[in-house]
Amino acid sequence: MPGKLKVRIVAGRHLPVMDRASDLTDAFVEVKFGNTTFKTDVFPKSLNPQWNSEWFKFEVDDEDLQDEPLQITVLDHDTYSANDAIGKVYIDIDPLLSSEAATVISGWFPIYDTIHGIRGEINVVVKVDLFNDLNRFRQSSCGVKFFCTTSIPKCYKVVTVHGFVEELVVNEDPEYQWIDRIRTPRASNEARQRLISLMSGELQRKIGLKVLEMGGNAVVGYLQCFDLEGESGLVVRAIGTACTLDKLSNPSAALLPACNSPSKEIKETPFSEDPNPNTHSSGPSTPLKNQTYSFSPSKSYSRQSSSSDTDLSLTPKTGMGSGGSAGKEGGPPKTLLRQQTQTALEQREFPFFTLTCFPPGFLVHVGGVVSARSVKLLDRIHNPAFVGIMGNTRSYKLLDWNSFSADEPETRDAWWEEIRQEIKSHAKALGCHAVIGYSESTSICEEVCILSASGTAAVLNPKFLQDGSLDNYSEHRLSRQPTYFSTGSEKGEFDFFPLSKDSSSVLGLEEPSPPSCGFCHIPYDELNMPFPAHLTYCYNCRKQKVPDVLFTTIDLPVEAAVTGKGCLIQARLCRLKKKAQGEANATAISNLLPFMEYELHTQLMNKLKLRGMNALFGLRIQISVGENMLVGLASATGVYLTALPTPGGIQIAGKTPSDMTYEQHISNMQKKINDTIAKNKELYEITPPKLFTLDPEVSTFKGQNTEISEEVIGSPIPEPRQRSRIFRSHSESSDEISELDLSHGKKDAFVLEIDDADAVEDIHSLLIDAPLPAGFYSCNTEIMPGIYNWTTGLQMFTSVRVFRLNNVNLTNQGLNKIFNDLCENLLKSLYFKLRSMIPCCLCHVNFTVAVPEDELIQVAVTAVAMTFDKDQAQESWKASVDKALMKVIAENEEQLQFPLELCSDSPGAQLFSPRKGTGLLESASAQAIPGAQRATSVEYSSFANRCNSWIELVKVKALTIRRGSIKTTSSLEKASPQAEGHARVRSTTAYTGSTITVVKMTPLSFIPGAKIIKYVGIINMFFIRETTSLREEGGVSGFLHAFIAEVFAMVRAHVAALGGNAVVSYIMKECVFMENPNKNQAQCLINVSGDAVIFVRESELEAIPVQPQTTSSQASNSGADVTT
Amino acid sequence: MAMELDVFVGNTTIMDEDVYLLWLDGYTVSDAVSMRMKSGILEQCGASQDVLESDTMDHYRTFQMTERLLHNPSKLVNQLLFQIPPHRQNMLIERWGGGAAIVKITVQKCYKILNPFSPSLAPSLPPSLALTGRYYAFDEAFVREVLGKKLSKGTKKDLDDVSAKTGITLKSCRRQFDNFKRVFKVVEEMKGPLVENIHQNFLLSDRLARDYAAIVFFANSRFETGKKKLQYLTFEDFAFCAEQLIQNWTLGAVDSMVEDMDVDLDKEFLQDLKDLKVLITDKDMMDQHKSLVCTALRGKLQVFSEMEGSFKNLSRGLVNIAGKLMNNKDVRDLFIDLVEKFIEPCKSDKWSLNDVRLFLTQHTNSVRALDAFKHQAVWERYMRVIQSCILKMYHD
């Protein structure tokens, strides 16, 4: 009996009139938890009852506390007939179970009815007394914190990242039980809501147990999803990243979000420390997309690197992945550390991370996007006798489509396991040992289900990963520099960079990759490239190889060097499909998938080039299945990474250069495209630094044309050249020359051949993407690259559109156009609506597409519009960067022991590693030393680069001298340890006029201009709304509009009751809308989640004279943290 | 091919002031769209017509949903459904709904959406005050049509005539009518000052609350305001008179804690008014009164001879009005009587406003000197109102 739940019902207000005669209501309340129910007295004849009940006490297991929601039902007492229910409130008490979250839930909750919507409000107080239970066999996991945020939460520091956790629970869907035929829609909806609430609780508890097992205390990047499979059941599944988090002792050190402060603090990984730091001496990466179309276990096929394969035929799964690449990995360039990390990670079942944003230094290299899809057939429930079994029993009723024998149950677990294995092996093939920014999704239509998973293959710094083989190593490090880990995602990293660079440059050695480009460097051995890719030397450091284009699913690392601004890039595609049943349907879908992926990729690539950019972040490809079509939508944020080569233009080529008018047409089009690129470059302020213009052709190489092989003309890569390219070394400039020599002829032009109407259509659609209105930017990542000074304007919104296709004889092109227009118009509408916020940026633009019915396409968007200050953009940012640098240095100096100690080690290690790496390659590279025409320019550039680093070094040193003054600032700012209490007082007093707290909502993990001082609990809510009077409620739009507003209201009320004043990382995961206009009915299901937080405005917290939300304050805060 | 569903919901409810006004004025979505297009908004924002349609629809839906709350503005303050920012520009609390609104549009040509980001704040205002104020604002032309009428279903049925006559959309007429009726019902039987009650219950600005008090008062006593002879009077004239009546002739003027105190006239007082008849029935007294007035006004009045000639008529008129007020029906005719019995004769003799003022003041005060007259208090309570009403109503 380890918990006592106490509930008090205070009052109600705005209740609906339940008695027509008196225009009043005789309300009372039932409070139910588990199987226990309490009732309040009836408060007669009032619409604003004051119950002031006693404390209702429930004595329950903590297991139940985690699983069960508190259920409050408001009823109207009726002497003669049954009492009428007014509505319900479900309260998730999980936040009360963690000592660090909320301590009491108290406030006004909307009373919700699935048929009538919100009907008044009720004031409730909930508390939990938890007794410690030391039983090690317990089934509960109270106290494990859950965060939706996909980065380290702001007021925590990460001690260890344990890794991937997943779980799923399955049940019957009450909507499809036989009893549903006789009960009311309300009863059925409520059964469903309650069940899902229970299942989420159970799921969370089970994941919590796994986390405790791993030694962690929190789940970050927690993503829970529902699969409504109709008759075959209801699946609730979740993935997350287990971590050990420590609360930062000083609340004022709960820092600003990273994005407010794109801190250019040098967050260099201390490679000097690594026993064998040659992690980055190897190979290439390119936007590789590995896809698997495993149709069934028996017929499982996979296809890899659609980006480069001309041949789309499916190759057997065994042909790639673990076997092949594992062998290659063992090659000589592999270093000891690498292997260590590798093995460490390999010991985990899945080295996946749902995080998209990492503490500095965590991310070493990024390989590219890996994804896998699988088409499954859901089996019918043969035996409904087991209906209603809940709890720990997992019903094995979900059968793989071709294993009809019920004796051989195939669970969802196995399906996902299969997909995750695919992902893992794809990552391996990319020379990466981990997958970051990992997510999973499904699309279900009737009995067909597409399971998708995607992530970004990456090499991570093992410091943060606790593992057996690394124990000594990490402990050693931990003991030496505990504060190294105390950074949160923000900062606080030591600056080893100047020092190690110092030593290395003195010695004339290759420096470790600077943070601004390190992650772009190819993670794997270029000798064994898993796909043809085009590599060049990094434009930033000139030392490592980078791909020409980089695709990732993660957020742009804060330390990355970016030129200009970013923008939202979408690829949209519809494909018609014949209606079919069962196996035939599944086959048809899985046959279509590769083509869709391919085309989406082509579109993305074209649009990226059209904008003059070279990298995509936050890539999310969604493929939704409907009865007669597949809809694909890929969204990402394009940026120009300074480290990557300038993307080439797009060239159009006609097939038959005979007709003059045709030629004319083509040249017109070419001109249009060139103009667009030029315009875009201006718009996004893409002006690559001078350095690049010195050798513009370094990047050019025809090989990249293979990216879109079908539309490419131009000669194939000559074999010897390829060899020469591969066998080059890192250190010899002569080698670079050899590569330069390769680049002539057509160079980097991206060629589109117009040979049929399709191609014309493609080009046309490429160009019709409406330009952004002046003052607007958009991206689907957390922050917009290139915008740094956010002001406090914040507007989160959801917009939903459903389009009906009346035209029966649609072609693929026609459909594409419609879909494209739908998305474009939606965006245009958003810009119009939010015009008063200009200049502003739509961040985290999250599109979801669905095909709810035969001829319907549904698009839902959730995003946040944030205002920024246009004028002081550049300079203040630069100033703040400088300041940040100062502070960082200051901070470092304060812990002098560590850096110095470490530095003394470093030169040796530094010396050792590159030599080894180059040495191995030298012999090979010697073969290829063709002409030396461009030698000078290359020499110059690398010289300039070196100069730059010297200048930087000098600057850094100069700044270090000013440490004294900085120290005073940081000590001044110590003055806010009571920030939290202070803030709470404020938040309560600020709104004396109205009882309602303003609750901000944002899909981002931070609030501009404010500091998150406490996480009060995870919000995970599921609502159903149904109507049988659709017309009366204003049609489908009126119905959905009201429902979404109600969902927002309920989320806000729960957050406010937890004591919070904002929701961060808010996401609408599901919005399933069904209508039957003929019957005047509609139903909608919405699932939302986020993290409830308490934030304090910077200006309220402390008067910082400089721009409140820039790096300086952040840095100084952490400075305070360190000194106290 | 058609857009089946199209919604936009913000966490902070976005409300476009101009669309709100169009909605209040009862325009359909398509009318509103074409009116917005004429305003040049599309050129400013580079948007297309369907964008505007979608936006207008969203706003209309939002307003329809808020309407339920607007009917009970005290609910609006602590409702949870819409997050309407607490900092709100104080631009919507205007008295003369329609008219003032149009002026506002031109002032605020920039089509600013009400949102929390606008830096100029009016933190003193509760969040929803502005909305309410605008919702409860009414058109001058409309209120003149229904002022003093019974707020019944019958009147509501005739609103299409009102709409045709005033050019205000029927929808808007209905809303305004319903607002009157709603306020009337709520405050009708409340204790305490009328204006204060309206202010409390509907969160209206002081000025708007006063106007509503007048409307409620007129509706309750059913004063006739629609006759041709009264057409020249504005709502403001009547509102002023109503205030005078409320302050002097109702129960509330005597006892501040009675039900209906500000709505119903003090019956006892009306009974007492009969006693004033002596002023015209007693010949001596009347002569004495006349000579007192004439002596005092000699040389001061431009129209002295006309006054001297019509004194008895005017005096008789004023006292007779008083005498009739005990009958409900005659109470309704108060204003028409004032016009017929006093204002028109004076106007035909070209009295100036100042002449009227001097005459009425002297006429009232001279009664004190009449020793035989025993009803000084009643007379003064009566004349205080009559005097200020006539002065307010004495214009073209």
Side-chain angles (χ1 to χ4, degrees), chain A residues 48-63:
Chain A
N48 300 293
Q50 301 289 320
W51 291 289
N52 283 319
S53 78
E54 80 231 58
W55 286 98
F56 300 123
K57 297 188 180 92
F58 301 87
E59 297 179 336
V60 277
D61 281 348
D62 48 1
E63 195 178 325

Side-chain angles (χ1 to χ4, degrees), chain A residues 13-14 794-796 798-802 804 806 818 833 835-836 996 999 1001 1036 1041 1052 1075, chain B residues 1-2 4-7 9 11-12 14 16 45 55 58 61 65 78-81 83 113 115 117:
Chain A
R13 69 183 180 198
H14 309 160
L794 191 71
Q795 169 70 289
M796 190 283 296
T798 291
S799 186
V800 182
R801 284 190 179 189
V802 175
R804 183 176 288 280
N806 290 333
I818 287 170
K833 286 248 185 240
R835 62 196 184 281
S836 69
I996 294 163
V999 175
M1001 289 167 79
V1036 284
H1041 192 141
R1052 288 192 302 258
E1075 56 164 330
Chain B
M1 296 187 301
E4 184 95 354
L5 183 157
D6 179 4
V7 296
V9 189
N11 180 41
T12 303
I14 294 181
D16 186 309
C45 308
D55 181 63
D58 274 324
R61 273 197 302 272
M65 278 186 262
N78 52 16
Q79 56 85 30
L80 301 176
L81 188 55
Q83 182 154 286
I113 295 176
N115 63 30
F117 325 115

Side-chain angles (χ1 to χ4, degrees), chain A residues 1036-1048:
Chain A
V1036 284
S1037 295
F1039 170 73
L1040 194 62
H1041 192 141
F1043 184 38
I1044 294 174
E1046 282 169 352
V1047 169
F1048 286 177

Side-chain angles (χ1 to χ4, degrees), chain A residues 558-588:
Chain A
V558 278
E559 62 268 30
V562 173
T563 305
K565 294 192 166 65
C567 79
L568 179 72
I569 292 179
Q570 283 194 322
R572 302 144 185 156
L573 186 68
C574 281
R575 280 281 183 144
L576 289 168
K577 173 184 84 68
K578 284 213 174 69
K579 274 191 193 179
Q581 292 295 309
E583 193 174 339
N585 194 20
T587 314

